[in-house]
Amino acid sequence: MRKTILLSLLCSSSLFAWAQQAIPVKGTVKDKENNPIVGATIIVKGTTDGTKTDQNGNFSINVPTGKLLLITYVGMQRAEVPIKDDSFINLSLVSDSQLDEVVVIGYGTVKKRDLTGAVATVTGKDLQSNLAKSASGALQGRIAGVSVSNAGGTPGAGMSINIRGLSSMGNNTPLYVVDGVFSDINLVDPNDIASLDVLKDASAAAIYGSRAANGVVIITTKGGKRASPATLGINAYTGIQSLPKKMDLMDGPQWKKFQKENKYLPTQAESFNANTDWQDEVFDTAPINKINVDISGGGERSTYSVSAGYLNQEGILKTTGYKAFNVRSKNTFNFFNDHLRIGNTFLLKSGDRKYSDLIITDILRQNPLLPIYDENTLGGYATYAPWMKNLENPVGYLNLYNKHVYQTDIMLNGYAEADLFVKGLKYRLNVGINRTSGRNYNKNEAYTYGTAKNQSSLNENAFFNNQWLIENTIHYDNTFDKHTISALAGYSSQENSNRGFGAGRKDIPIGTDVIGAGSPAEQSTSGNLNEAALISQFGRLMYSYDSRYLFTATVRRDGSSKFASGQRYGVFPSVALGWNMMNEGFFESAKNTVNDFKLRASYGRLGNQEIGDYTTQNVTTYGINYIQGGMWWQGAIPGNSWVSPRNLTWEETETSNIGLDLAFLQSKLNISADYYIRDTKNILLGINQPPSTGLSGTPTMNAGTIRNKGFEFSATFKDAIGDVNYNFGINASTVKNEVKAVTVGGKQEFEGYNPQGEGTVSWAKVGYPIGGFWAIETNGLFQSDTEAQNYKTANGTVIQPNAMAGDIKFVDFNGDGHIDNNDRQYMGSPFPKLAYGIRGGLDFKGVDFAFFFDGMYGNKIYNYTRARMEQTNEVNNHSARILDSWTPANTDTDIPRYTREDPNDNKRRVSDRWIESGAFFRLKTIELGYTLPTHWLSKVTLKNGRIFLAADNLFTVTKYKGYTPDLGQSNGDNGAPSGVLTAGTDHGRFPLARTIMFGIQANF
């Protein structure tokens, strides 16, 4: 019996030992950036058995099956992993900050779970696209509802940014706040940005009141970390830019033969035998180089972050380019057991933008028979012959004109924050200074232009812009049981001062670069000073009950010196509600499926005060000089210019927003969607007055109402399959823009883009979008003279009496029997029905790959560049499409007959012939990188290192016939008009370059 009992005990013991048999477990622990975590603690839960990760984040441990591994690291969320047979663990720890992720809002932060407004956040890592030359460029395509498009294209020119469509006929630029100071996004290097938060709806932006109607972009620069050793980082790249696409033009022999066949070749042209490809002569491959160096760290009571960067970008248009040097310093200090905190940010950027105002269409239209050089002319460059169109020699113009903008920007922010005697109560003083100084330099050498001799000249204009800001705020934040309250009250004052002066002279001697060397007989001077001030009071209350029911109320009162007494103050309130449905008891059973479910709703009113200084004041005009008695009398007169009405008031934008935030699959899939209606009333617009009044300028008036409504959607998914980590994201937005009312004048419309005064194409009309295109419809070509003469009204009137076979048939839309501008029809909007971005990436054992596509659908472009290349009434070069002109032997074409006289006005500018689809699908960026192994780097004391190869603007799928379909509001470069109503117009935009780049990133 005892043997049986002993045998049973031994068997039970063996079975128990077998059940608890330990198996080897290996794994890797990394952070969210896929960097290995060194020294993470790995413990078998419920025991003291454990180990730590090595330099590569790897570990190995024996664990009984069925047990849990507990993985911890300072500053990271702890993780528990069940152990099965043959376990291998590839784990990414989440930062503690992600558990209660905070979003930067005006004058504070809020936990993302308690956010009620429409706010989108992009981290500094996302923004540091290796091809990003500016923060605005790095932002392109990343946020639904934020449009970043090409404004000019020249190096250093910046980009056009709009948030949720156009709400104004004037300034639509968002408000930029850099470390608490109102500044410029282009002042900040993308390498220095820690986070960028876009406040899109009124609830989020109302705390900024009169300047927030176009949205707010809050930029937070990088800072150091407490108790951290110094870290030195380097980010550098070099690359080549090139012209992605050439216009197909006639060469010299083609042009000569074509003109001869059509009996238009001038006799003098017979002796011209040059064959100049002007695109090849003025466009070239151009290098670009950028380097950033930063060092950061901190002690027990302080942090520091210092960086410097340099960008040298030559333009693909010869003689253009941009050089910029920037320095940044950010420091924080705390005293009295962290009850007193002070800090500062210093930014300096010094740039040299070398540009040319050469008209791009002149490059395309210049005759290929014209040679480049002529040593017998003044300046050494050939000029147009009497029989040619009077266009500049593009190569000569680029080399004879030297234009620069030298500019230095300084931003300084300092703050002090102290805890007061009540828990959660604190006072903050914030002071900011912005200073911009620089000069415009414009010099040209003497040269021959046709039969005239252009004098040499030098003009320089200095400018000095200064802004100071002082803000006092009281903050109260506290939690009582399930109640969380955050309150803010503040007072702000701001003043701007802009001063400038200039001088110029002609006949500058060769080899000199001083205005004083020129002729005093032909000189000019100028000067100006503008000042404006703004004072504000504001407050905000945020309340959360059990992180379920959320409430936010905001109000700001602004007073602006730009308006007349009695109209200077505006009040801008907002209110928002949120419901974290997932925190309700009835949602408990669904939490494993739906990890986040929040509804948001908001309403608010924002303002816009962006008008000229002294608009409502009767100012004195100086410089009205005259000769009397042989002496020069200096004259001045008040009332020489229009004065805006004294009841001119704020432009106000009311926004209603409803939003939804969802998360699935253990928060691997995150979805956000918003629908909004945005009404702008009392839009500020300069209204043209009859010339007969004898007054100059245009008075600004409250002119109407504009509505934008749209839908925004974004989704991101992140996961891993074994050692492969991957992510995918998509954002899409729709916006419908409509002019709802015009409240001045008798006409319910405003004129817009009118190329060279040849006919207004874009309009703002009631019931249609701002900048909508209006043109006469075409209906093919007449195939015979008889067909043209048979095109009649019902009463027998010939509609196009001058038309012949091969001419364009225009639609008599109003039925009055002849074709004129009254036959214009609505032809579409420059704004897309859908804008989208698609980005993704993956990494595998140190190799990473990323891509970004963007695109638009449903928008139109007015291609004035093609209009000028295909017009036939002037002796200039043409598009190669003209070779397919209609002839009796070539009738299967959409190109009208070639005629210099053009009696039918086939070139008519107000015609849908020049309106094209602006839809495109573009591979914006693609990148392949490799993170060097840690055991390689340790030999050269590197913490981490990465090399990469990348490309920007690699290809674009589009039907558009111009250089690029990415056309936002024009900034006026290269002879193009500017303004809101130039969106989607190609007056000769600077082509966007394709860039191939190699770079390196390293930390020491």
Side-chain angles (χ1 to χ4, degrees):
M1 183 67 178
R2 280 185 290 179
K3 290 183 178 179
T4 302
I5 295 173
L6 181 60
L7 183 60
S8 298
L9 289 173
L10 289 173
C11 289
S12 298
S13 176
S14 298
L15 287 170
F16 180 78
W18 177 81
Q20 296 295 311
Q21 183 178 2
I23 63 170
V25 175
K26 295 182 178 180
T28 303
V29 182
K30 298 180 179 180
D31 62 17
K32 66 175 183 176
E33 278 83 30
N34 203 38
N35 298 314
I37 295 178
V38 181
T41 301
I42 319 295
I43 296 177
V44 180
K45 190 173 183 179
T47 74
T48 57
D49 298 334
T51 185
K52 289 184 178 291
T53 56
D54 63 17
Q55 290 185 342
N56 296 316
N58 298 325
F59 69 90
S60 177
I61 188 173
N62 292 326
V63 185
T65 56
K67 287 287 189 178
L68 293 175
L69 270 188
L70 179 63
I71 303 173
T72 60
Y73 186 74
V74 176
M76 296 289 185
Q77 179 186 3
R78 59 188 287 166
E80 293 184 0
V81 181
I83 299 303
K84 301 177 182 178
D85 293 341
D86 302 322
S87 287
F88 181 86
I89 299 171
N90 189 357
L91 186 66
S92 179
L93 291 186
V94 178
S95 170
D96 275 341
S97 61
Q98 286 185 272
L99 301 178
D100 281 321
E101 183 180 351
V102 296
V103 176
V104 179
I105 56 176
Y107 303 99
T109 60
V110 62
K111 292 179 180 179
K112 190 173 183 179
R113 66 186 182 188
D114 294 336
L115 182 66
T116 57
V119 179
T121 300
V122 180
T123 66
K125 180 177 174 59
D126 293 330
L127 278 174
Q128 291 166 33
S129 168
N130 299 307
L131 296 175
K133 307 167 191 72
S134 66
S136 56
L139 184 60
Q140 190 171 35
R142 293 186 180 274
I143 297 178
V146 179
S147 170
V148 182
S149 53
N150 171 34
T154 57
M159 305 189 79
S160 174
I161 300 180
N162 294 129
I163 298 176
R164 290 187 166 181
L166 298 182
S167 62
S168 175
M169 295 286 284
N171 189 338
N172 283 274
T173 303
L175 174 69
Y176 300 111
V177 184
V178 180
D179 283 352
V181 179
F182 306 123
S183 193
D184 181 3
I185 190 173
N186 294 311
L187 174 60
V188 188
D189 191 294
N191 194 73
D192 291 331
I193 296 178
S195 68
L196 187 152
D197 297 86
V198 180
L199 316 184
K200 297 190 285 186
D201 73 337
S203 169
I207 196 69
Y208 291 110
S210 65
R211 291 158 293 180
N214 300 316
V216 181
V217 179
I218 300 178
I219 300 170
T220 305
T221 63
K222 292 178 180 178
K225 295 182 179 180
R226 286 191 188 182
S228 298
T231 299
L232 174 65
I234 297 175
N235 187 347
Y237 65 74
T238 183
I240 291 293
Q241 307 162 97
S242 61
L243 183 70
K245 175 183 179 181
K246 284 180 63 178
M247 297 294 100
D248 190 9
L249 306 173
M250 293 185 189
D251 62 24
Q254 281 178 324
W255 189 89
K256 204 169 185 179
K257 179 183 177 184
F258 182 78
Q259 296 294 332
K260 184 177 291 186
E261 289 174 348
N262 285 277
K263 299 180 174 54
Y264 284 116
L265 183 68
T267 304
Q268 306 94 314
E270 292 284 3
S271 61
F272 281 71
N273 296 307
N275 185 17
T276 306
D277 187 327
W278 292 105
Q279 290 184 96
D280 282 351
E281 296 298 334
V282 300
F283 293 114
D284 201 0
T285 55
I288 178 172
N289 299 283
K290 189 172 189 285
I291 184 169
N292 290 90
V293 179
D294 60 80
I295 184 170
S296 63
E300 292 298 327
R301 296 182 179 179
S302 64
T303 68
Y304 63 89
S305 176
V306 181
S307 65
Y310 177 72
L311 170 68
N312 187 353
Q313 179 188 7
E314 293 187 18
I316 57 173
L317 182 65
K318 292 179 179 179
T319 76
T320 65
Y322 182 61
K323 298 177 182 178
F325 174 75
N326 64 278
V327 176
R328 181 190 62 89
S329 173
K330 187 172 185 177
N331 304 277
T332 66
F333 306 91
N334 72 87
F335 306 94
F336 308 115
N337 199 25
D338 206 21
H339 289 296
L340 173 63
R341 300 164 293 277
I342 63 175
N344 66 76
T345 299
F346 172 78
L347 288 171
L348 181 147
K349 181 178 181 180
S350 181
D352 170 13
R353 184 167 79 94
K354 191 175 188 305
Y355 69 99
S356 173
D357 56 6
L358 174 65
I359 299 173
I360 300 297
T361 55
D362 286 357
I363 300 170
L364 307 175
R365 294 194 301 149
Q366 182 56 273
N367 202 302
L369 296 180
L370 181 71
I372 300 173
Y373 305 102
D374 184 352
E375 60 183 16
N376 296 317
T377 64
L378 180 65
Y381 293 93
T383 186
Y384 67 89
W387 56 268
M388 294 179 180
K389 173 66 178 174
N390 56 332
L391 300 172
E392 293 278 7
N393 180 320
V395 175
Y397 194 88
L398 288 172
N399 288 292
L400 292 168
Y401 281 81
N402 189 8
K403 299 172 183 285
H404 291 259
V405 178
Y406 301 99
Q407 181 169 319
T408 299
D409 297 275
I410 297 174
M411 191 204 85
L412 178 62
N413 162 252
Y415 71 87
E417 186 176 72
D419 294 330
L420 301 181
F421 303 104
V422 177
K423 180 183 177 182
L425 187 66
K426 60 186 177 183
Y427 164 77
R428 183 183 178 101
L429 170 66
N430 185 60
V431 178
I433 296 173
N434 273 303
R435 178 178 174 85
T436 297
S437 61
R439 63 188 174 98
N440 296 299
Y441 175 91
N442 186 347
K443 182 183 181 183
N444 72 273
E445 306 294 341
Y447 69 99
T448 300
Y449 178 63
T451 58
K453 288 182 170 53
N454 275 9
Q455 294 175 281
S456 60
S457 67
L458 175 59
N459 293 275
E460 294 190 78
N461 296 279
F463 52 88
F464 308 90
N465 304 328
N466 297 284
Q467 171 187 296
W468 59 259
L469 169 74
I470 298 177
E471 294 176 324
N472 296 272
T473 53
I474 295 288
H475 303 255
Y476 179 71
D477 301 279
N478 212 340
T479 298
F480 308 93
D481 192 19
K482 295 182 179 182
H483 307 274
T484 299
I485 295 176
S486 177
L488 162 72
Y491 177 86
S492 171
S493 60
Q494 177 182 336
E495 185 174 275
N496 301 304
S497 173
N498 303 314
R499 179 183 290 274
F501 60 86
R505 285 186 179 182
K506 293 186 177 181
D507 281 337
I508 305 295
I510 296 175
T512 60
D513 194 31
V514 179
I515 289 178
S519 170
E522 297 184 79
Q523 62 181 344
S524 62
T525 58
S526 62
N528 66 280
L529 171 64
N530 291 280
E531 295 177 317
L534 191 73
I535 59 172
S536 311
Q537 304 88 39
F538 49 90
R540 179 175 59 215
L541 173 65
M542 294 188 292
Y543 170 75
S544 169
Y545 175 74
D546 197 23
S547 197
R548 283 187 287 168
Y549 311 120
L550 315 171
F551 171 79
T552 302
T554 305
V555 64
R556 182 168 181 130
R557 180 176 182 263
D558 283 323
S560 172
S561 66
K562 294 188 175 185
F563 297 99
S565 178
Q567 302 293 335
R568 288 181 174 167
Y569 287 89
V571 178
F572 308 99
S574 77
V575 62
L577 300 172
W579 181 22
N580 272 321
M581 192 182 300
M582 64 168 295
N583 292 335
E584 297 286 357
F586 64 78
F587 205 84
E588 194 67 32
S589 61
K591 279 189 175 181
N592 291 332
T593 304
V594 182
N595 311 120
D596 189 16
F597 195 133
K598 180 167 68 174
L599 291 173
R600 297 175 279 104
S602 67
Y603 169 82
R605 186 169 67 240
L606 304 171
N608 188 347
Q609 57 135 13
E610 295 305 318
I611 59 174
D613 300 327
Y614 320 118
T615 297
T616 59
Q617 300 178 37
N618 196 339
V619 298
T620 300
T621 302
Y622 294 90
I624 305 175
N625 306 322
Y626 56 96
I627 301 294
Q628 182 174 338
M631 298 181 62
W632 188 23
W633 289 70
Q634 297 182 3
I637 186 173
N640 186 52
S641 301
W642 277 99
V643 178
S644 297
R646 292 189 63 80
N647 64 352
L648 184 72
T649 188
W650 304 84
E651 189 175 278
E652 293 184 345
T653 298
E654 295 180 352
T655 301
S656 302
N657 190 100
I658 184 167
L660 174 68
D661 299 316
L662 296 168
F664 304 92
L665 305 175
Q666 286 73 53
S667 296
K668 295 174 183 176
L669 174 62
N670 290 271
I671 296 173
S672 181
D674 285 88
Y675 176 78
Y676 64 89
I677 298 176
R678 187 178 177 207
D679 288 323
T680 302
K681 302 176 181 178
N682 296 321
I683 60 171
L684 297 166
L685 182 65
I687 305 299
N688 292 327
Q689 301 296 312
S692 58
T693 61
L695 299 179
S696 62
T698 55
T700 300
M701 299 183 183
N702 295 116
T705 301
I706 297 170
R707 166 169 287 187
N708 288 276
K709 59 182 180 180
F711 176 75
E712 299 167 353
F713 173 84
S714 62
T716 59
F717 182 77
K718 296 182 179 181
D719 201 0
I721 301 176
D723 289 338
V724 179
N725 298 288
Y726 64 93
N727 64 85
F728 183 81
I730 184 171
N731 68 77
S733 61
T734 67
V735 60
K736 182 180 181 182
N737 177 277
E738 181 183 356
V739 179
K740 299 292 290 183
V742 173
T743 56
V744 298
K747 293 185 176 181
Q748 297 292 288
E749 60 190 27
F750 297 118
E751 295 186 23
Y753 175 63
N754 185 343
Q756 307 295 121
E758 296 175 345
T760 303
V761 180
S762 68
W763 294 76
K765 297 191 179 188
V766 172
Y768 296 91
I770 294 176
F773 295 123
W774 293 75
I776 300 170
E777 183 182 359
T778 59
N779 188 20
L781 304 178
F782 293 114
Q783 296 301 321
S784 67
D785 294 347
T786 302
E787 181 186 351
Q789 295 305 308
N790 286 337
Y791 182 38
K792 301 177 181 179
T793 63
N795 62 8
T797 302
V798 178
I799 297 174
Q800 292 176 236
N802 296 323
M804 300 173 60
D807 281 334
I808 294 176
K809 181 180 180 180
F810 296 102
V811 175
D812 181 20
F813 183 64
N814 66 354
D816 64 359
H818 62 277
I819 304 300
D820 58 22
N821 286 341
N822 294 319
D823 292 307
R824 288 176 295 203
Q825 303 179 50
Y826 177 64
M827 294 292 175
S829 169
F831 309 111
K833 296 178 180 177
L834 175 67
Y836 57 89
I838 304 169
R839 60 179 66 246
L842 57 86
D843 61 81
F844 173 73
K845 294 186 177 180
V847 178
D848 60 88
F849 172 76
F851 62 85
F852 166 49
F853 293 92
D854 69 342
M856 293 183 180
Y857 168 76
N859 57 308
K860 299 292 184 181
I861 293 175
Y862 182 83
N863 191 345
Y864 185 61
T865 299
R866 183 168 70 86
R868 304 197 85 181
M869 292 163 55
E870 294 185 17
Q871 71 183 47
T872 64
N873 62 314
E874 294 178 334
V875 189
N876 52 258
N877 198 16
H878 302 301
S879 165
R881 284 167 48 85
I882 297 297
L883 296 172
D884 191 34
S885 296
W886 186 96
T887 68
N890 181 40
T891 59
D892 186 18
T893 178
D894 62 349
I895 306 296
R897 69 187 177 100
Y898 188 84
T899 170
R900 192 72 57 77
E901 294 77 19
D902 194 16
N904 190 57
D905 199 10
N906 293 324
K907 73 175 190 306
R908 186 187 298 271
R909 297 297 183 242
V910 187
S911 162
D912 68 356
R913 182 183 175 190
W914 317 118
I915 296 177
E916 303 179 27
S917 169
F920 69 87
F921 177 71
R922 173 174 58 184
L923 177 55
K924 187 67 177 67
T925 58
I926 187 169
E927 182 179 335
L928 179 65
Y930 179 62
T931 300
L932 303 177
T934 306
H935 64 274
W936 292 6
L937 301 175
S938 60
K939 298 178 181 178
V940 290
T941 66
L942 276 176
K943 292 183 179 178
N944 55 64
R946 176 177 177 269
I947 56 176
F948 63 87
L949 180 67
D952 179 50
N953 197 28
L954 202 57
F955 72 80
T956 303
V957 178
T958 182
K959 293 182 179 180
Y960 181 61
K961 298 182 178 67
Y963 280 120
T964 176
D966 180 10
L967 299 174
Q969 177 180 321
S970 172
N971 63 2
D973 282 353
N974 300 102
S978 61
V980 172
L981 295 172
T982 63
T985 63
D986 190 346
H987 196 92
R989 298 284 186 98
F990 197 99
L992 295 182
R994 174 184 294 139
T995 309
I996 307 296
M997 208 151 285
F998 173 78
I1000 185 169
Q1001 299 166 323
N1003 285 312
F1004 296 85

